[in-house]
Amino acid sequence: MQILKNKFIRFCADVLILAALFTLVQYFITTGLLNQYYQINLASMCINIILSVSLSLINGFTGQLSLGHAGFMAVGAYASVILTQMLGQPFIAGIFAACLAAGVCGFIIGVPTLRLKGDYLAIATLAFGEIIRVTLQNIDYVNGPAGVLGITKLTTWPWLFAAAVITTLVVVNLINSSYGRAIISVREDEVASELMGINTTKYKVIAFVIGAMFAGLAGAMYAHFFYIIKPETFNFLKSFDILVMVVLGGLGSTSGAIIAAIFITALTAALQSFPAIRMILYALILIIVMIYRPQGLMGNKELSRQTFGRIWSGRKNEHNRN
Amino acid sequence: MAGFGVEEKMSIIEINSLDKSFGGLSAVLNVNFFLEQNELVGLIGPNGAGKTTVFNLITGVYKPDQGSIIFNGQNITGMAPHAICARGIARTFQNIRLFNDLSVLDNVKIAAHKNVPYNFFSAIFRTPGFFKGEEIIEKEAMKYLEIFKLDDKKDELAKNMPYGEQRRLEIARAMATKPTMLILDEPAAGMNPQETNELMNLIAQIRREFKLSILLIEHDMSLVMGVCERIYVLDYGQIIAEGKPEDIRRNKRVVEAYLGEEGE
Ligand SMILES: Nc1ncnc2c1ncn2[C@@H]1O[C@H](COP(=O)(O)OP(=O)(O)OP(=O)(O)O)[C@@H](O)[C@H]1O
Ligand SMILES: [Mg+2]
């Protein structure tokens, strides 16, 4: 009972902090303190957080290498746009369609490849990303390579905020449960996990489908913020971008994925006028991380209340909880 | 049933003419054996005799080329390992396979996932059922850690524990799946005589407490002789002897098999 009570107090504190953050930004937007330029970067940041956290569930926690996250994003973007622009449905219907379509694609790719051990998923997702891109280029209904233009701007700060928070909550709650431990055990030792009674294929597919669904959500948010979607937007380089965030943040750390997403978005914004330098810098950062901190910024640790508590009271990390 | 005066012992597992070869090499050849309920049986044999392969066949890591495995009256041949575990067989590994980067407690909790007391959506929405369920899982896991005297190390990473404790943790983890049959692959390997002795007492204790049937591989003959009620001897993939420890000790073929190994 006491434990439940403490949990409730902490839950209320979390809600308050999030509500404060939301209101503050909303205030800045309505008063015009946050101009167009910053709003665009804010949207990118939220979308990147969704992408990075969802990919970290697949690559970081389940230990399955997926190289086609942008493909699922494309599926979500196009599915939502077809619903809101072509079929005149509300945004929320578009969002659900995006998650559903991306989830179904994830299931279709996941079931045959995740049954096998080895890097079949990497190859299949790489191919999937390309197939989606080429297919979209050849569908006249969505204007082929030119893409869909003039999409109604429906993605507002409340939507972005809710999407990022829900993605993070679902992943964090899943990971910190018995189901999450089952998922992590697959990464740790697939054979031992299977022999301890865990249906490893099932959990790999679950994690992969959830990750794909949230990539679809990110796609829907993206499409209805930036007015235009083109197949080329969701190419391999975009998947690579997301992968960089997850690796940089630390495989198996949600807070790491969020921090890295924020950092990479800021870096991209700062280097907007020098796109060539951006790719070089990415490569450089990756190399430096691989040499000096191969486990990523956070390793598999999380930034949590305890971490802040320790910093606050000036104590060094005595008990490194995992 | 009652009244016939015939004591009918049910065998918990029956293995019939099991074959497995790797490439041209027959690792297991026409192996037959059984375990009765609550029996403690040893499987011994020289290096490369095929003992671990037999374990891998029972637990579904490999599919047999031929033969059948009947567990509790049910044919489990060729089932997936997790399905076999679900039916009540748990094991440890000759080369320790813990979840190295996870805590001791999490290692055991993962094995308890099989009986997770809340569903997926409770976990995501953090319902009261989730918190209650987590408490149950934690209590269960601590119970097994206490039996194996690892409860004060619950927050340590598995990889940071001394070798002997890692071996004990593997058994604790296997127990958390709530098996009716436990199979142990060289559980005392690398332990000193005192640790080995303690381990054997622990094994006897859990066997009594949980009414387990135990199949045990051990390389060290003297050790097996001390604890097992019955012994099977494997050599070049075939069972060459079966019987009580004292019979095995005197068996000419067994002595030859072991001497042959020493002569190598
Ligand atoms: N996956 C495999 N692929 C090929 N050969 C294998 C495989 N597993 C086992 N073997 C071979 O099968 C034979 C039996 O091996 P096994 O591991 O079962 O022996 P063991 O009795 O457990 O030996 P030890 O006492 O050394 O553990 C050996 O010759 C081994 O090389
Ligand atoms: Mg062996």
Side-chain angles (χ1 to χ4, degrees):
Chain A
M1 214 49 232
Q2 189 57 42
I3 296 169
L4 269 180
K5 207 166 159 187
N6 287 342
K7 291 230 159 75
F8 184 70
I9 291 168
R10 267 186 250 156
F11 172 75
C12 291
D14 287 347
V15 171
L16 275 178
I17 291 170
L18 285 177
L21 179 67
F22 171 77
T23 321
L24 199 69
V25 174
Q26 183 66 58
Y27 172 77
F28 284 154
I29 292 169
T30 31
T31 53
L33 278 168
L34 219 56
N35 65 26
Q36 194 67 25
Y37 173 73
Y38 284 111
Q39 285 186 32
I40 288 172
N41 285 314
L42 183 68
S44 293
M45 202 171 274
C46 290
I47 291 165
N48 281 340
I49 287 174
I50 301 170
L51 289 168
S52 153
V53 168
S54 58
L55 186 65
S56 91
L57 176 63
I58 302 168
N59 285 16
F61 289 105
T62 324
Q64 307 300 310
L65 186 57
S66 166
L67 298 174
H69 219 47
F72 296 110
M73 191 186 173
V75 170
Y78 275 85
S80 64
V81 164
I82 288 172
L83 249 82
T84 60
Q85 309 302 303
M86 277 92 164
L87 305 174
Q89 297 298 313
F91 191 28
I92 187 78
I95 290 173
F96 275 114
C99 295
L100 189 71
V104 168
C105 287
F107 187 78
I108 292 169
I109 294 164
V111 169
T113 49
L114 290 168
R115 275 170 40 215
L116 309 165
K117 291 189 180 64
D119 288 331
Y120 295 96
L121 185 73
I123 298 159
T125 46
L126 193 62
F128 167 74
E130 288 307 290
I131 289 167
I132 283 293
R133 195 171 56 84
V134 173
T135 309
L136 289 171
Q137 278 173 348
N138 289 293
I139 298 179
D140 290 336
Y141 184 60
V142 290
N143 285 342
V148 185
L149 285 135
I151 301 163
T152 334
K153 186 173 171 182
L154 298 170
T155 304
T156 52
W157 166 242
W159 280 111
L160 285 165
F161 184 78
V165 168
I166 290 171
T167 307
T168 310
L169 265 184
V170 168
V171 172
V172 168
N173 284 357
L174 173 61
I175 285 308
N176 292 303
S177 76
S178 193
Y179 296 89
R181 286 192 290 269
I183 283 172
I184 291 171
S185 78
V186 175
R187 174 192 74 195
E188 288 293 307
D189 186 332
E190 196 169 335
V191 173
S193 171
E194 180 80 21
L195 283 157
M196 291 307 124
I198 286 159
N199 186 343
T200 52
T201 306
K202 179 174 130 189
Y203 285 107
K204 281 192 280 183
V205 171
I206 287 176
F208 187 63
V209 169
I210 292 176
M213 282 170 75
F214 283 120
L217 173 67
M221 291 294 145
Y222 178 93
H224 294 84
F225 190 90
F226 290 101
Y227 305 105
I228 169 170
I229 48 169
K230 281 188 294 196
E232 205 44 53
T233 312
F234 309 101
N235 60 11
F236 175 69
L237 283 178
K238 181 65 194 169
S239 293
F240 180 71
D241 269 6
I242 310 165
L243 192 64
V244 169
M245 293 176 210
V246 175
V247 174
L248 187 62
L251 292 168
S253 168
T254 322
S255 31
I258 294 173
I259 293 168
I262 293 171
F263 173 72
I264 294 281
T265 315
L267 190 72
T268 312
L271 297 173
Q272 212 152 35
S273 12
F274 322 96
I277 294 185
R278 196 182 122 227
M279 284 325 276
I280 297 171
L281 212 64
Y282 265 25
L284 221 59
I285 289 172
L286 268 191
I287 291 169
I288 292 170
V289 167
M290 285 304 138
I291 294 172
Y292 294 104
R293 208 169 158 76
Q295 72 274 42
L297 285 176
M298 300 290 295
N300 61 2
K301 309 266 188 306
E302 294 292 353
L303 206 58
S304 63
R305 252 179 235 93
Q306 282 98 321
T307 327
F308 286 118
R310 273 199 301 273
I311 295 167
W312 191 253
S313 55
R315 273 191 294 147
K316 278 271 153 70
N317 32 334
E318 290 168 347
H319 37 252
N320 258 330
R321 216 186 66 85
N322 249 281
Chain B
M1 336 246 133
F4 287 95
V6 183
E7 197 195 356
E8 204 180 305
K9 277 204 180 171
M10 245 276 279
S11 56
I12 187 164
I13 195 164
E14 262 182 54
I15 284 155
N16 305 311
S17 44
L18 211 57
D19 281 359
K20 179 74 190 176
S21 55
F22 297 106
L25 173 95
S26 275
V28 169
L29 196 63
N30 194 26
V31 163
N32 294 281
F33 70 85
F34 66 92
L35 246 76
E36 274 163 13
Q37 299 276 6
N38 207 18
E39 220 183 357
L40 202 168
V41 172
L43 181 63
I44 64 170
N47 276 123
K51 306 178 296 290
T52 300
T53 305
V54 168
F55 273 24
N56 284 334
L57 290 169
I58 296 176
T59 51
V61 177
Y62 301 145
K63 311 252 175 287
D65 300 335
Q66 230 162 66
S68 66
I69 303 162
I70 313 290
F71 180 67
N72 271 332
Q74 204 178 11
N75 191 344
I76 59 164
T77 324
M79 280 187 183
H82 70 86
I84 292 173
C85 177
R87 282 165 177 75
I89 301 181
R91 72 174 283 182
T92 64
F93 301 87
Q94 182 172 356
N95 311 310
I96 301 176
R97 293 191 86 140
L98 290 165
F99 304 119
N100 274 326
D101 288 319
L102 304 182
S103 71
V104 167
L105 183 62
D106 278 347
N107 266 272
V108 180
K109 280 182 173 178
I110 285 165
H113 178 70
K114 194 184 148 196
N115 304 308
V116 56
Y118 54 83
N119 65 31
F120 194 77
F121 295 96
S122 295
I124 286 181
F125 295 109
R126 292 281 136 122
T127 62
F130 163 80
F131 293 107
K132 226 179 284 162
E134 277 294 297
E135 239 173 87
I136 295 169
I137 293 173
E138 173 126 5
K139 230 181 256 166
E140 267 297 296
M142 285 310 291
K143 184 180 89 186
Y144 293 110
L145 287 181
E146 271 158 34
I147 294 174
F148 289 90
K149 301 185 183 68
L150 294 165
D151 46 323
D152 52 338
K153 299 221 167 181
K154 69 181 170 75
D155 293 323
E156 250 177 70
L157 295 189
K159 66 176 174 198
N160 293 339
M161 301 225 299
Y163 194 75
E165 291 183 356
Q166 292 196 3
R167 287 245 174 246
R168 292 214 303 272
L169 178 55
E170 266 217 325
I171 306 178
R173 183 180 66 171
M175 286 303 295
T177 68
K178 297 195 172 174
T180 49
M181 180 173 154
L182 190 60
I183 63 184
L184 306 170
D185 198 345
E186 307 207 17
M191 286 187 172
N192 64 37
Q194 193 208 335
E195 282 177 319
T196 306
N197 214 338
E198 285 172 8
L199 180 76
M200 288 304 151
N201 288 334
L202 267 173
I203 290 174
Q205 181 198 332
I206 54 169
R207 177 181 164 213
R208 248 180 290 120
E209 207 169 305
F210 297 94
K211 299 193 172 56
L212 284 174
S213 315
I214 299 178
L215 178 61
L216 179 100
I217 290 181
E218 215 14 280
H219 203 68
D220 179 352
M221 275 253 264
S222 59
L223 192 148
V224 184
M225 297 292 168
V227 293
C228 294
E229 294 161 320
R230 220 150 46 80
I231 291 172
Y232 288 97
V233 187
L234 206 59
D235 192 23
Y236 293 109
Q238 287 177 291
I239 303 270
I240 56 163
E242 181 256 334
K244 294 215 160 61
E246 51 271 29
D247 303 332
I248 295 296
R249 209 191 305 267
R250 280 191 300 258
N251 187 303
K252 228 180 113 222
R253 286 188 71 185
V254 177
V255 175
E256 268 168 19
Y258 270 81
L259 282 178
E261 190 197 21
E262 264 153 41
E264 272 168 14

